[in-house]
Every structure is written in C-alpha cells, then in structure tokens.
Amino acid sequence: MTENTEFREGLDELAAHYKKVIELLGEDTDREGLLKTPMRVAKAMQVLTRGYAMDAHKVLTDALFREDYSQMVIVKDIDFFSLCEHHMLPFYGKVHVAYIPNGYITGLSKIARVVDIFSHRLQVQERMTLQIRQCIEDTLKPMGVMVVVEAKHMCMQMRGVEKQNSITTTSEFSGAFNQAKTRQEFMNLISH
C-alpha cells in the first residue's frame, strides 16, 4: 500500500483506542515521539488486516482459463506475514501450493494473492492453511489441492517459551493428494 492508500471506515476511532492503550501502558501520548503513533498504528493495522476487505474467490475467477493441462501446478516459496489472533503478534514464513487442474487453470500470481488475502487477517496458521486449500478447491474445482505452510511465530519467540528457532509446519490436502505417492511428489518438488 502506498501513501495514497484509502483506509477503511473506523480509522479515527481505531487511533483513539490505540492512544488509550499507549496511555494504559504508562506512556505520555503528548511526548513528541508518540504524537502521531496512534494514527500510524491504526493505519498499520488496517494494512495488516486488509484481507477482510478482499474476496479470494473473485481473485481466482478473474483469471480463470479453460486449459486441458492435468499435471501438478506448484507455486512455492510464497512469502507471507500474518498476525496471530491470540496475541496479535506476527507470524511469517512460506506457503507452498499445488493443484491438479480439471479443465481450468488460474493466473499463477492469483495463487499468491489468495495467500496474501488470508494472511492479512487475524489468523492461526492451521485455519489459514485450510482456508487457502478450500478457496482453491471451491473455485477451481481441481482434481486435488495441497497446501504446506512453514512459519515462525513471534508469540513463541518474543514471549512465553521464547524459542527463536522453532518452525511450525501445517498441511492441508484433498482429492488426488489423498494418495501418498502424489503427496510425496509434491513434497519432493518443494524441497529442492
């Protein structure tokens, strides 16, 4: 998003709440360095949660093409950033998506856009993995879909157990990916 970004309704109210939060933390919101912080945080939160205002199914259908290709299509190493709904701290990593077309394909960038939409909401990694798979499955009606998400969670790194090097991996699959051989082919292809 750029300087000309249009923000959603409620921005001023959100900034007022952040000002109160900063005061409750014991800070002086009239201090020079904090004068504009409530509005900056409100704008940042609207950017970080912009996925609520987007339709992932529409993104896919806007670039839907009839094609007889019926082998695995993989988009891997899709970077993402999200906010954990439990602590509102970031989690981030990579998403790998595969689908086997059943008469229709979509623009490759649209797969990354779907990841972007679901990651820009308050999330848990497990639900996000499922939502990405369901969206692609419901919209493209492929022979199968598989999604693998690998992420680091700041809520585990900065607080609680404070484990800086842990990575959480989740997967969701359907259709042709219910066969171990097909899943293994996908895993082999994304590991290179």
Side-chain angles (χ1 to χ4, degrees):
M1 297 194 137
T2 66
E3 288 295 321
N4 299 324
T5 298
E6 287 189 33
F7 291 96
R8 299 189 306 270
E9 188 176 324
L11 185 64
D12 291 331
E13 186 178 358
L14 192 56
H17 285 288
Y18 278 114
K19 182 175 182 177
K20 185 65 177 169
V21 167
I22 293 167
E23 289 169 353
L24 289 170
L25 292 173
E27 267 291 357
D28 174 9
T29 54
D30 291 326
R31 186 164 59 80
E32 182 183 13
L34 291 175
L35 282 174
K36 296 181 180 179
T37 297
M39 183 55 76
R40 284 188 195 111
V41 175
K43 287 179 177 179
M45 289 305 291
Q46 282 204 354
V47 169
L48 294 172
T49 60
R50 68 182 180 256
Y52 290 120
M54 300 169 138
D55 183 345
H57 295 281
K58 184 172 180 349
V59 164
L60 291 176
T61 57
D62 282 352
L64 195 62
F65 308 103
R66 180 104 181 99
E67 192 62 55
D68 290 331
Y69 186 79
S70 61
Q71 298 300 313
M72 199 179 300
V73 175
I74 299 173
V75 182
K76 69 178 193 170
D77 294 331
I78 303 167
D79 291 318
F80 81 92
F81 298 89
S82 191
L83 288 176
C84 153
E85 70 181 35
H86 300 143
H87 304 99
M88 291 181 69
L89 289 172
F91 68 99
Y92 61 95
K94 302 226 180 258
V95 177
H96 316 287
V97 177
Y99 74 98
I100 300 173
N102 190 17
Y104 290 93
I105 60 170
T106 190
L108 297 175
S109 68
K110 305 310 177 190
I111 300 294
R113 289 278 311 273
V114 167
V115 170
D116 189 52
I117 289 168
F118 288 116
S119 66
H120 281 82
R121 298 176 181 184
L122 298 181
Q123 276 291 11
V124 294
Q125 182 174 335
E126 298 87 345
R127 181 187 321 115
M128 186 180 85
T129 308
L130 174 63
Q131 288 173 331
I132 294 166
R133 192 229 359 118
Q134 283 178 329
C135 178
I136 294 167
E137 186 171 7
D138 294 347
T139 309
L140 299 181
K141 311 243 184 285
M143 290 186 265
V145 180
M146 186 159 178
V147 178
V148 172
V149 178
E150 301 169 306
K152 289 189 171 196
H153 292 253
M154 297 304 284
C155 58
M156 285 182 59
Q157 294 177 325
M158 295 175 65
R159 52 156 304 282
V161 296
E162 297 183 13
K163 299 299 178 207
Q164 280 69 40
N165 297 311
S166 64
I167 296 175
T168 302
T169 303
T170 51
S171 67
E172 268 290 329
F173 53 88
S174 65
F177 290 96
N178 284 313
Q179 298 174 0
K181 181 180 174 185
T182 309
R183 278 195 314 277
Q184 189 57 51
E185 178 184 351
F186 172 65
M187 296 306 288
N188 289 342
L189 289 168
I190 66 170
S191 67
H192 292 102

